[in-house]
Amino acid sequence: MSDIHEGGCVCGGVRYRTIGTPMMATICHCKFCQRRTGSAFSEPAIFKLEQVEFSGGPLTTYEHRSDESQRWLRMEFCSRCGTTVSWTAERRPGTRGISGGTFDDPNWLQVRRHIWTRSAQRGTVIPAGVECFEKGAPV
């Protein structure tokens, strides 16, 4: 399997390349992720900053502060089509999250944990054998 994976936004205006494996790949069931994606959960893949290269662009940033932790999350999205491609988080300095569904082939990611399961939507099936956290996972 190649250590280089590419992806981008819906309109193709923003592209990226990741090099190496992510530090983690998670499914997040928090209410914020449900609202920002318009779906039941998000699939963040967390990389070191130097593992991600962007082309095209530009990205627009929106900063959200958690009502629970008060920490910031800076969402980065395509200014043309609105796809949230990546983000940085106060909680994880030196890292960048990539929205798993934006990879050209997202099936290479190996999700091993689900977080904020207390907010999981009814009917969501969490596979056996993954770590589960009612709230956020330990750093």
Side-chain angles (χ1 to χ4, degrees), residues 28-30 68 114-120 133-137:
C28 181
H29 299 273
C30 80
E68 192 157 325
H114 287 239
I115 60 174
W116 293 98
T117 57
R118 74 178 188 191
S119 303
F133 299 91
E134 195 172 285
K135 294 172 71 174

Side-chain angles (χ1 to χ4, degrees), residues 57-71:
L59 289 168
T60 300
T61 301
Y62 170 75
E63 183 173 300
H64 169 77
R65 281 212 180 258
S66 167
D67 56 354
E68 192 157 325
S69 72
Q70 299 304 308
R71 291 186 293 234

Side-chain angles (χ1 to χ4, degrees), residues 2 14 17 69 84 88 92 94 100 108:
S2 172
V14 173
R17 171 184 296 199
S69 72
T84 300
T88 57
R92 297 194 191 304
W108 72 275

Side-chain angles (χ1 to χ4, degrees), residues 6-137:
E6 296 181 343
C9 66
V10 171
C11 74
V14 173
R15 296 289 299 162
Y16 64 82
R17 171 184 296 199
T18 62
I19 302 164
T21 57
M23 298 165 59
M24 69 186 78
T26 303
I27 298 293
C28 181
H29 299 273
C30 80
K31 293 290 186 187
F32 174 70
C33 283
Q34 289 176 25
R35 180 150 302 202
R36 75 176 178 80
T37 63
S39 186
F41 52 81
S42 69
E43 185 181 17
I46 310 298
F47 292 87
K48 293 178 184 172
L49 287 174
E50 61 269 15
Q51 290 180 273
V52 182
E53 302 169 352
F54 286 97
S55 61
L59 289 168
T60 300
T61 301
Y62 170 75
E63 183 173 300
H64 169 77
R65 281 212 180 258
S66 167
D67 56 354
E68 192 157 325
S69 72
Q70 299 304 308
R71 291 186 293 234
W72 56 258
L73 183 67
R74 292 186 182 126
M75 311 309 298
E76 299 169 318
F77 54 94
C78 174
S79 59
R80 189 164 118 196
C81 68
T83 304
T84 300
V85 177
S86 73
W87 60 89
T88 57
E90 183 175 6
R91 180 176 187 205
R92 297 194 191 304
T95 66
R96 176 175 304 284
I98 296 291
S99 297
T102 65
F103 281 101
D104 293 340
D105 176 11
N107 292 312
W108 72 275
L109 285 173
Q110 294 183 10
V111 174
R112 292 190 163 86
R113 66 180 175 175
H114 287 239
I115 60 174
W116 293 98
T117 57
R118 74 178 188 191
S119 303
Q121 291 185 9
R122 189 176 35 225
T124 299
V125 177
I126 298 174
V130 297
E131 288 183 291
C132 289
F133 299 91
E134 195 172 285
K135 294 172 71 174

